[in-house]
Amino acid sequence: MASLNTTYMGIELKNPLVVAACSLSGKVDNIRQVEEAGAGALVIKSLFEEQIRHEQDDLESMLTRGGESFAEAISYFPSLEHSGAREHLMWVEKARAAVQMPLVGSLNAVNPGRWVEYAKLLEESGVNALELNTYALETDKHVAAADIEKRLEDTVAAVAASCGLPVAVKLSPYYTSMANVVDRVQAAGAHGVVLFNRFLQPDIDPDTEQPRKAMTWSTPYEMLLPLRWIALLHGKTNIDLIGNTGIANGTDIAKMLLAGASAVQVAATLYRNGIRHISTMLAELSGWMDAKGYQDVAAFRGKCGQNTADQFIFERAQYVDFLMKQKEAKF
Ligand SMILES: Cc1cc2nc3c(=O)[nH]c(=O)nc-3n(C[C@H](O)[C@H](O)[C@H](O)COP(=O)(O)O)c2cc1C
């Protein structure tokens, strides 16, 4: 049987299937089931910058209320600092104690700030790597794309400097020059990029004429954008490329690896099909590799990436070719 071993930012994984940050990791029983089903690793749901700030602000306003009492208050309430976000850390410690598989802690943040100390605290709670999700919709017309990218770089650098763990950055697909952004987050200290983050897109309810928050699962079609970018970036960077969004079965994992991914992350397909679906996906991947005669993942990783396949397949020539054929076709 083929070996599914891979590495994820230097960490040995028994296979490339990683459970993405999501609420499944909110229950220890689920995390155990993920391990039993054979996943390579799991990303624990995010700790949000706002969660940490909220606590830090609360603590500061309480401690500064009566100037003189500051030192006393600190000694009275040494454990008060970050108590809400502390719960998250306690949760991570509990998860760590429950399973052997590699665990990734997730920080969801936009600006560099004091919250980065949580990178160190997550490291101390026993996770093997960190993931940084940095997306926020910028609506201030005075903020230029370059400002947003600089903020991203600074945030990555602050997190990478504050802990000794490998750091993956979960990127939005909306950057104008993806290869440049990937290069810069690597220079700032990242070891991997997760392509891509997926966002809740609010709808409008025509009856109430109010915005409607609708939670929708990703569809297989959404996998094509990360697949394309992984293929385009493969061979142009040595940062780990991690596929995410729309991956639903073992064949999808095989495609991501063919494009050049080191690993993939999945969430929606587990909500749809149950946690046991992990073992089905792994059996499908393994069956595909056996049918193709691949002994291990290295035998085919990146085979359809930019450097090894026809380099125009994923770029403009593909589009031009398609349009020319449409023009020639008789309708
Ligand atoms: C219920 C739910 C909760 C999620 N929570 C987080 C989170 O805490 N942090 C994060 O970075 N992404 C979160 N995500 C996004 C997923 O990690 C993933 O990027 C997204 O669902 C796309 O993958 P999929 O197509 O396999 O679902 C969440 C997704 C779902 C469905």
Side-chain angles (χ1 to χ4, degrees):
M1 206 175 93
S3 157
L4 302 186
N5 291 356
T6 190
T7 57
Y8 188 83
M9 302 191 290
I11 302 161
E12 301 282 337
L13 300 191
K14 63 179 178 179
N15 64 64
L17 192 160
V18 177
V19 175
C22 67
S23 50
L24 281 179
S25 54
K27 283 190 182 157
V28 168
D29 190 41
N30 286 345
I31 298 176
R32 285 208 185 96
Q33 284 183 46
V34 163
E35 182 168 65
E36 278 161 25
L42 172 138
V43 187
I44 296 171
K45 63 182 178 158
S46 297
L47 174 59
F48 288 82
E49 173 188 342
E50 290 80 356
Q51 258 177 294
I52 301 169
R53 277 185 196 281
H54 182 66
E55 260 180 31
Q56 288 175 337
D57 291 349
D58 270 5
L59 180 77
E60 260 155 32
S61 64
M62 186 184 79
L63 295 182
T64 50
R65 222 169 280 148
E68 290 297 315
S69 64
F70 179 80
E72 196 182 7
I74 288 272
S75 59
Y76 273 0
F77 306 112
S79 61
L80 247 185
E81 203 173 351
H82 320 310
S83 58
R86 282 254 168 225
E87 271 172 27
H88 185 90
L89 293 177
M90 280 158 58
W91 174 250
V92 175
E93 280 167 19
K94 208 168 159 187
R96 176 66 293 165
V99 289
Q100 303 294 315
M101 69 182 157
L103 293 176
V104 180
S106 168
L107 280 165
N108 208 311
V110 183
N111 302 291
R114 276 179 50 205
W115 59 266
V116 298
E117 67 194 67
Y118 274 81
K120 185 76 195 152
L121 296 174
L122 277 168
E123 180 178 14
E124 286 164 8
S125 70
V127 294
N128 305 80
L130 280 186
E131 184 171 290
L132 178 64
N133 182 338
T134 62
Y135 180 75
L137 206 59
E138 185 58 71
T139 54
D140 181 344
K141 68 179 180 181
H142 302 295
V143 177
D147 303 327
I148 296 169
E149 290 170 12
K150 176 76 173 66
R151 191 166 66 196
L152 170 70
E153 258 180 306
D154 291 347
T155 308
V156 174
V159 170
S162 64
C163 73
L165 293 173
V167 176
V169 184
K170 194 171 186 180
L171 289 175
S172 124
Y174 304 126
Y175 291 101
T176 306
S177 179
M178 190 59 70
N180 178 265
V181 167
V182 168
D183 207 42
R184 284 163 57 191
V185 297
Q186 184 176 27
H191 301 79
V193 280
V194 180
L195 307 174
F196 291 110
N197 202 1
R198 182 174 185 267
F199 309 107
L200 269 185
Q201 308 286 5
D203 199 354
I204 288 178
D205 183 330
D207 294 328
T208 61
E209 300 176 19
Q210 293 294 318
R212 179 168 59 191
K213 282 187 210 156
M215 174 78 202
T216 56
W217 304 127
S218 61
T219 61
Y221 179 76
E222 292 177 59
M223 187 190 124
L224 297 181
L225 186 64
L227 184 75
R228 182 180 195 188
W229 271 111
I230 287 171
L232 285 169
L233 292 168
H234 177 73
K236 285 187 174 164
T237 173
N238 58 5
I239 199 168
D240 271 10
L241 304 168
I242 301 147
N244 182 216
T245 295
I247 298 159
N249 54 46
T251 313
D252 292 345
I253 303 176
K255 290 190 214 174
M256 280 290 180
L257 297 172
L258 280 166
S262 302
V264 303
Q265 292 188 357
V266 296
T269 195
L270 305 183
Y271 285 91
R272 279 205 182 100
N273 303 303
I275 293 173
R276 294 297 310 164
H277 187 56
I278 290 170
S279 44
T280 307
M281 284 191 278
L282 291 172
E284 286 166 354
L285 174 62
S286 184
W288 177 83
M289 285 170 66
D290 287 343
K292 290 280 181 183
Y294 293 129
Q295 303 288 316
D296 54 32
V297 170
F300 67 97
R301 190 206 311 276
K303 198 171 171 184
C304 299
Q306 173 86 316
N307 269 11
T308 43
D310 176 352
Q311 64 171 337
F312 296 107
I313 284 177
F314 291 101
E315 278 185 0
R316 183 175 162 78
Q318 180 195 32
Y319 166 75
V320 175
D321 188 45
F322 177 78
L323 290 186
M324 295 310 286
K325 285 195 178 117
Q326 292 300 307
K327 214 173 134 194
E328 285 158 17
K330 291 192 172 59
F331 290 100

